[in-house]
Amino acid sequence: MARNIVKREQHKSAALPKSSQHWQDDLVSSGDTIAIDLDVTMTDEPVDEGLQAGNGTSESANFPSQHRTQQETVPSPSSSRSMTPLSGEGLQLLGRGVKKLVQAVQNLRHLGVENLILPLPKIVVVGDQSTGKSSLIEGMSEIKVPRNTGTCTRCPLEINLTENTDKDAQWSCTISLVKRYVYDTSLARKAGATRARPLGPWIAQDYPEVLYFAEITSKEEAVGALERAQLATLNPSSTYEKYKPGNPMLRKDFQVKFSPNLIRLDITGAGLPNLSFYDLPGVINVAENEGEAYLVDLVRNLVKDYIRADDCINILALSMTDDLQNSSAFSLVKEVKAVARTMGCLTKPDRMQQEESMEQWAEILEGQRLQLGFGYHVIKNNPDPNIDHTTARKEEAVFFRNEKPWNSALAEFSDHFGTLQLQGALSQRLTAQIQESLPHIIEQIQQKAQLIEADLKQLPEALGGDLPAIVFGKIHKFDEEIGMHVNGTSRNNAFRKTWQKHALEFRNALADSRPTLFMRDPQLVGRHCESPAHEAVMTPTPTRPPKQNLAVVAVDSDSEDGCKPSPATQSGRKRPYPSIETTPNKVSRSQGPYRPTSKRFSLAEVRDIIQDAYVGIPGIVDHQATETMIRQSMKQWPRYVGCFLNQVKALCEDMVSQAVIKWFHSHQQTLFYDQILDICERFFQEGLEKQHAVAKQLLDWEQHQPITLNLEAWHAATTKALNHLESTRRHHRAKEFVIEQEARSGKTLTDQAREEKIYKITDAHLGPEMYKVEIKTISSVKAYYECAYSRFVDTLCASIQFELFAKCHGTILQMMKDKFRATDSDARERLAVLMAADPKVEERRAQLMKEKETLQKAQEQLDGISKSELKKRQKQRERDGKKEAKTAAAPAKAASKGEKSQSAEEQEAELTPNQYFEIRSRKIQELRKSHKPNPYPHKFQVTTDLRDFLKEHETIKTGEHLRDIEVKLGGRIYTKRVAGSKLVFYDLRAEGVKVQIMCQAQEASGAIPFEQQHEHLRRGDIIGVVGYPGRTAPRNRPEGELSIFAKEIILLTPCLHQIPSEHYGFKDQEQRYRQRYLDLIMNDHSRNVFVTRSKMITYIRRFFDEKDFIEVETPMMNAIAGGATAKPFITHHNELNMDLFMRVAPELYLKQLIVGGLERVYELGRLFRNEGIDLTHNPEFTTCEFYMAYADVYDVMEITEDLVSGLVKRITGSHETSFTTQTGEQYDVNWAKPWKRIEMIPALEEVCGERFPPGEELHTSATNDFLKRMLKKTKVECSPPLTNARMIDKLVGEFIEEKCINPTFITGHPQMMSPLAKYHRSKSGLCERFEAFVCKKEIVNAYTELNDPFDQRLRFEEQARQKAQGDDEAQMVDEAFCTSLEYGLPPTGGWGMGIDRLVMFLTNHYSIKEVLAFPFMKEEQGHAKKLAAEEVGIKSEMEASTAEPRTVDEGTSRDLLVSSHELVSAQIQK
């Protein structure tokens, strides 16, 4: 019809009537002000006459109710154009009440009513990017919107237009930001959309937050204000206020490229249509760059969320320059079943190619193609921002009036041309939709309000008092309490006293850890141990003989005690000198947990340290020696600091906890108290972390390089220490001298006589001091220690005092203020929740009060709407409900009249698979409509794994029932046995195991009766079982079967097809590969194969991980197919317009990682090779490759033996396995190491009976002739091209590989066969490579990697020559890899293993298809099978648009709802 219109109108365009040629002359003329009045008078009289004048149908025909099913019916072609054309006079027919309707719905939406009840009626504008959607929005809203990338297209707009009828009405626009979603930065790296998170990192809020942004009074300001609002929305972590108009314009940087939060524009002005619509981001198929690919799914999910609502009218923007069938937005409309409530808007008509597309546009406008429920409109807008709305509308009218084909061939559709007609049609549609939905909205609001009121009455009485004031006062009192303790103004000042005690203990611990010096000569140690009476005794002065023998002198001169050696005997009993490793310090002044120990130096140790740092000049000590001893002296400091900070933490926490208990003890059982504790804990955690960092920094400074500028103190301490040590050392030497004389004379002196003699010893007796330099050096160490520990203690204590204690007062208070916000307007409700004994009660109360307030405001908005209109709509709804109930009751009556017959299962067993599928599909379709029960529920909570259930309850005795234990598990029905109307048995399988389900009517519970629970269940269905464990007690068997005694059976997912019987099974090999899901359902041995495969891959990963390998991933598509000699698959990159190769090996990338410093890497992944398909080859397969720096081929051999032998042992429990070939030949394989090794060339020489050319000549043409002769001699055929490498490989395959049953290494490959392997270190022309074969098949290939960039390039060039000769498998020159080698590849061993073949050997399958979940298969020939949707009559939108409309009468409807028993019987009779 449309084609005839085009042809007819092309001949008659000159004779068009005036009304058709100048259809808009009366609407717009020079100087006119465009005003549209779309109001409807709300009276008791019918108001639909004007709307129905053109079609004679009711509104319900065009506006489906909220309860319609997903199977929608698109109106007939004529119905989409049936509304009265909107001339200026026609607009007035709509009356004056629509504005109130539209405004009421807008206000309800602003109140948040959509969060409490069903979605409200709305208009949504959708379309692909660059389809003229912005022009459409500008035409409808009469403002200009930003068009630059990253603003308008990145977040939705809500535009509310309201006419202002005041005489002095001015145009104004209020801009608000509506935050429905919160951006979760923790999910930013996981930004992809998922089922749980359809908008990625955007998390929906319970209640949207509306933020006022700006108000403008000039249309010229709209673009700038909108751009700022978009920037605020696209930077969710920034405060929106800094983007408000009037502030300096910030850089156009975006934290996110997309936001689902919308910008609301409330526009009022004279002559505006009363419309409310949403402008959504344009649907995209390809992101701007690879990192933003997730935006595609986010935008699509957002668009679907808006347009799927039943009360939503969709405007689909389609550019007339594009192929409409490829529109992504159109696809989304069809996907959510929204075609019947969508209006198409064709844009860019001035760019339409008239000669090519005239007929298709006529057919679209006529409704014969791409049918939409509300038809199509055509608009044209001027994108120039300097053109105002009135001028743009005049230009649009002139265009449609003067341009072909709009004024000729397509003039019949002129009532659908122009923005004004579109606005009028949308107002009509929106008004009708609101009128249709309004009774249900009011009903929902009333019901919700009643429920809220009832819930509030059930809650306990709310807390009394001014909670914000109470909280505000208590937290300030708490802060004052903390301040008194910290500042020392409390009554007993216990905090300050304890702090000073801890600090002094810490200082004393460091002081008591001063380094000590063992004074005795190393040569004299042990000489007098046999005679304790002659043990050396040292005293600092000869005038006061000590009563105890002394041995160690502390390097300490702070007190008199510090100058005295430590006691060596007690109670007159002498003891040997202590060992060098222990330090018998004097009684420590420090208390607490420190237990100080000091570094103890001997004279010999000091001398060794000095000599290690010897500078070459006698008597000069290198500073490194002094610094070494200083650092050793401070070795215990970190332990002391840890103890000290733990004391500080305990002190602070005790002080704060006492204050918390004092001021908040009455709230100990509340969330408020918990949050108080959380705040304090967070403060201490942050504060102590900072103090630990300060202490660590101070320790690092002290131990890194000693330094002090306190020269006076250092010199004084050095002099004091030196004098003390020299005096003590001289006394000790004199004592040793006297003891030596006693030993020689054999006379023993009394203590007093010995001391007097020591006093008389002169320097002449003693001789020169051998350790003068050592004593001077240790004096410097002691002096620095004195300066350092005092400085360290002061600095650390000051940090604690001012950075921790001082901030307890004030900082915790501020944290509490920020947390509780006691001065905010909603503080009362929040604090009531926190301070309640049961917080959930107050949370519920606050939520209900907020919802109650919202609904009260909503009811106020609806009070002004005519009650007669509501009554009329309500009565219509009641009539429709009664009709639906009557129709639903029809099948029940029909079923009750049927005669008793066989069970449904018995009848279905006689059906063919196609008959069963048809009947089962129709039955499930009935359940989808009735939801009695819902055949596809969303969730079933499984509490028990079937395998765990069998293990846990295997000991249950016959007849025993554990009724107290409830189990919930899911699985698939394998058998169903009906034993009367009250007893049903099922065999349920899951995870490879089976259990019996016993269902008895007396045990049944749940909302669905026993019979209905089981009448829909068939073999193959997935069900959920709720019951208890037990064991049956059969009469004919002594031992019962472990079972689940079901209380309730829930259908989770029906199986629409007959599954094979357990007796015959599913054995067709090809169908098993094509329908692997069915193979896994029926055959446990197939499932076990893939379980074994998974275990093998897990073992391989663990093996490499334990050897410190790193698993990596390399590209699947490459510009060059390298890394192996194989023919690649070729694909094409559209954006880059270049061919790419699917990878044949990851080798070159992995070796580049070795160059980069990742010295051990491996990858498990898929490879793609365009080669033949046979029992051991598939175009895509799985391999594992590893590369190990500083290893060679021999290291790799050992790793291979360890890996594979250990893998076989772990998987099978033994090193010996069996493998059966296709011909039935069985091989017994021993995988134990070591494996056999075969040299390639000597083995070929033995087979051929001739000596092969030397290795360096194997690549020459002479060798080529030799190999051809060998092929002829041995009667071996080789397919062309006959290169040297291919011929040698063929000979190896015929004569060497055939002997490799047990694992065998074949080594000594020619270099020309291995372009990436390193040359053999001792055999010219060969390379260091091996291949491992098992059962005549290769499983491993490995070699010492070639790391010489010069040699590598020559190898690649040789491969290129072979490729030029016609060898498709030869490699190309990879310049990037050659360049990487120039940076240096360390000596490396590389290895690759085929996972699929190894799985074949360990699972005893000769076909690779058995071990691949989805092997490659040729396309199945024959007719396509019907789908379930086709069986029950569900069609796609494209199919529906081409189908002839038909009317389904009541009888046909009843036939579609006939019971399954009747359908089965009828099918059998056929």
Side-chain angles (χ1 to χ4, degrees), residues 354-379:
Q354 299 182 17
E355 295 80 6
E356 299 180 5
S357 53
M358 179 72 67
E359 293 183 0
Q360 76 155 332
W361 297 121
E363 292 173 354
I364 289 173
L365 292 171
E366 178 66 19
Q368 295 183 2
R369 292 186 58 190
L370 300 178
Q371 193 178 36
L372 292 177
F374 295 155
Y376 288 84
H377 282 253
V378 187
I379 69 160

Side-chain angles (χ1 to χ4, degrees), residues 6-260:
V6 172
K7 293 180 179 179
R8 181 178 71 249
E9 293 301 325
Q10 286 176 343
H11 294 291
K12 297 183 179 181
S13 59
L16 283 174
K18 183 176 181 180
S19 61
S20 298
Q21 289 186 357
H22 306 290
W23 61 276
Q24 283 185 331
D25 283 354
D26 295 333
L27 284 179
V28 181
S29 60
S30 177
D32 283 351
T33 300
I34 303 173
I36 304 177
D37 187 356
L38 303 177
D39 295 344
V40 176
T41 303
M42 306 299 295
T43 65
D44 292 339
E45 300 299 324
V47 295
D48 292 340
E49 295 177 359
L51 298 178
Q52 301 166 1
N55 56 19
T57 61
S58 67
E59 280 299 327
S60 60
N62 288 332
F63 295 91
S65 68
Q66 294 182 2
H67 301 287
R68 70 167 180 268
T69 63
Q70 289 294 323
Q71 184 178 357
E72 59 178 348
T73 303
V74 181
S76 62
S78 61
S79 67
S80 63
R81 298 178 53 226
S82 61
M83 285 192 173
T84 304
L86 295 176
S87 63
E89 181 179 347
L91 291 175
Q92 297 301 326
L93 294 176
L94 298 177
R96 301 295 304 172
V98 172
K99 178 170 67 176
K100 193 171 184 179
L101 269 178
V102 175
Q103 285 182 336
V105 173
Q106 290 177 0
N107 293 336
L108 293 180
R109 183 174 291 112
H110 293 180
L111 288 172
V113 172
E114 280 186 308
N115 297 316
L116 304 178
I117 62 171
L118 296 175
L120 299 173
K122 57 178 174 288
I123 297 173
V124 174
V125 181
V126 296
D128 294 353
Q129 280 193 335
S130 305
T131 55
K133 193 161 60 68
S134 296
S135 297
L136 170 60
I137 296 302
E138 290 177 350
M140 293 170 58
S141 63
E142 303 186 10
I143 62 171
K144 298 293 181 181
V145 297
R147 291 173 174 263
N148 52 304
T149 302
T151 54
C152 244
T153 58
R154 298 298 188 182
C155 56
L157 295 177
E158 177 189 347
I159 303 177
N160 301 308
L161 305 176
T162 306
E163 181 186 13
N164 190 338
T165 57
D166 295 342
K167 293 182 179 180
D168 301 327
Q170 298 292 326
W171 185 93
S172 67
C173 174
T174 301
I175 303 177
S176 305
L177 308 182
V178 182
K179 294 182 64 175
R180 293 182 176 176
Y181 303 89
V182 175
Y183 185 70
D184 190 341
T185 55
S186 65
L187 299 176
R189 294 185 180 181
K190 306 175 182 178
T194 64
R195 290 185 178 181
R197 295 183 288 100
L199 298 181
W202 295 96
I203 309 301
Q205 298 191 87
D206 292 335
Y207 294 97
E209 184 179 4
V210 181
L211 306 171
Y212 169 79
F213 188 75
E215 184 169 356
I216 56 177
T217 57
S218 172
K219 295 181 180 180
E220 288 72 21
E221 301 174 1
V223 174
L226 265 180
E227 188 170 355
R228 287 175 174 269
Q230 302 275 10
L231 286 172
T233 304
L234 296 174
N235 290 279
S237 297
S238 301
T239 174
Y240 73 96
E241 294 176 340
K242 67 181 182 181
Y243 295 98
K244 285 185 174 182
N247 294 330
M249 189 60 178
L250 302 175
R251 291 174 54 189
K252 298 180 181 179
D253 293 333
F254 309 131
Q255 180 184 355
V256 296
K257 293 296 183 69
F258 161 82
S259 173

Side-chain angles (χ1 to χ4, degrees), residues 746-759:
K747 297 180 180 180
T748 302
L749 302 176
T750 63
D751 290 345
Q752 183 175 1
R754 186 182 297 116
E755 287 298 328
E756 290 175 355
K757 192 169 183 178
I758 290 172
Y759 185 75

Side-chain angles (χ1 to χ4, degrees), residues 1368-1388:
D1368 291 336
E1369 296 182 354
Q1371 301 184 42
M1372 296 180 284
V1373 179
D1374 192 329
E1375 293 292 346
F1377 177 67
C1378 291
T1379 301
S1380 71
L1381 289 187
E1382 294 169 1
Y1383 284 87
L1385 173 68
T1388 300

Side-chain angles (χ1 to χ4, degrees), residues 1085-1098 1100 1164 1166 1182-1183 1204 1207-1208 1211-1212 1217-1219 1231 1334 1338-1339 1393-1413:
H1085 63 82
S1086 294
R1087 182 181 184 277
N1088 293 335
V1089 168
F1090 297 109
V1091 171
T1092 300
R1093 181 187 180 101
S1094 176
K1095 291 179 179 178
M1096 292 172 62
I1097 292 175
T1098 300
I1100 292 171
L1164 272 158
R1166 304 287 272 180
T1182 303
T1183 67
V1204 180
L1207 172 63
V1208 174
I1211 297 299
T1212 67
T1217 63
S1218 296
F1219 179 73
W1231 299 82
V1334 178
E1338 176 195 351
I1339 61 169
M1393 180 174 72
I1395 302 297
D1396 305 313
R1397 286 189 184 174
L1398 191 58
V1399 177
M1400 291 167 57
F1401 293 136
L1402 297 190
T1403 58
N1404 196 13
H1405 286 101
Y1406 59 78
S1407 174
I1408 194 174
K1409 292 181 179 180
E1410 292 287 353
V1411 301
L1412 299 177

Side-chain angles (χ1 to χ4, degrees), residues 683-835:
F683 169 81
F684 285 121
Q685 181 179 358
E686 295 171 357
L688 288 169
E689 284 178 356
K690 186 173 183 180
Q691 292 309 310
H692 277 283
V694 169
K696 183 178 183 305
Q697 184 66 69
L698 292 175
L699 286 170
D700 290 343
W701 287 341
E702 291 292 350
Q703 296 179 348
H704 176 67
Q705 186 173 10
I707 183 174
T708 181
L709 298 179
N710 191 359
L711 299 181
E712 295 82 3
W714 183 79
H715 283 304
T718 302
T719 302
K720 186 176 181 180
L722 181 60
N723 292 338
H724 168 68
L725 291 176
E726 286 179 343
S727 173
T728 305
R729 170 63 178 168
R730 187 187 182 286
H731 183 272
H732 190 77
R733 290 180 65 204
K735 180 179 179 181
E736 291 288 342
F737 182 83
V738 171
I739 293 174
E740 185 71 23
Q741 285 183 334
E742 290 179 22
R744 290 177 181 176
S745 64
K747 297 180 180 180
T748 302
L749 302 176
T750 63
D751 290 345
Q752 183 175 1
R754 186 182 297 116
E755 287 298 328
E756 290 175 355
K757 192 169 183 178
I758 290 172
Y759 185 75
K760 296 177 182 179
I761 298 299
T762 65
D763 292 340
H765 292 100
L766 298 177
E769 173 59 61
M770 298 174 58
Y771 295 96
K772 185 175 182 179
V773 174
E774 286 77 8
I775 292 174
K776 185 176 180 180
T777 302
I778 203 68
S779 300
S780 299
V781 172
K782 188 274 175 198
Y784 182 84
Y785 187 95
E786 293 291 329
C787 298
Y789 93 81
S790 181
R791 173 181 61 198
F792 178 80
V793 170
D794 288 345
T795 306
L796 182 57
C797 289
S799 174
I800 294 172
Q801 176 68 41
F802 298 108
E803 289 295 326
L804 183 62
F805 293 167
K807 289 187 177 179
C808 287
H809 176 44
T811 303
I812 299 180
L813 172 65
Q814 188 59 48
M815 293 172 69
M816 291 181 178
K817 287 182 176 179
D818 295 341
K819 179 67 177 179
F820 300 122
R821 305 196 314 275
T823 58
D824 287 5
S825 58
D826 63 340
R828 175 68 176 79
E829 292 76 15
R830 286 188 293 100
L831 293 175
V833 173
L834 296 177
M835 301 176 75

Side-chain angles (χ1 to χ4, degrees), residues 1188-1257:
M1188 180 178 178
Y1190 311 111
D1192 62 10
V1193 69
Y1194 305 106
D1195 299 319
V1196 175
M1197 279 187 183
E1198 293 182 6
I1199 293 176
T1200 303
E1201 291 176 333
D1202 292 339
L1203 169 62
V1204 180
S1205 296
L1207 172 63
V1208 174
K1209 179 71 173 178
R1210 174 65 62 85
I1211 297 299
T1212 67
S1214 172
H1215 282 126
E1216 297 181 357
T1217 63
S1218 296
F1219 179 73
T1220 305
T1221 66
Q1222 184 184 16
T1223 60
E1225 186 178 3
Q1226 181 170 321
Y1227 298 136
D1228 293 325
V1229 185
N1230 188 342
W1231 299 82
K1233 59 180 183 179
W1235 293 358
K1236 184 179 179 181
R1237 289 165 169 76
I1238 298 177
E1239 288 282 342
M1240 179 183 291
I1241 299 300
L1244 289 178
E1245 290 176 341
E1246 182 180 350
V1247 171
C1248 297
E1250 294 190 32
R1251 188 172 184 81
F1252 274 51
E1256 61 270 16
E1257 298 178 7

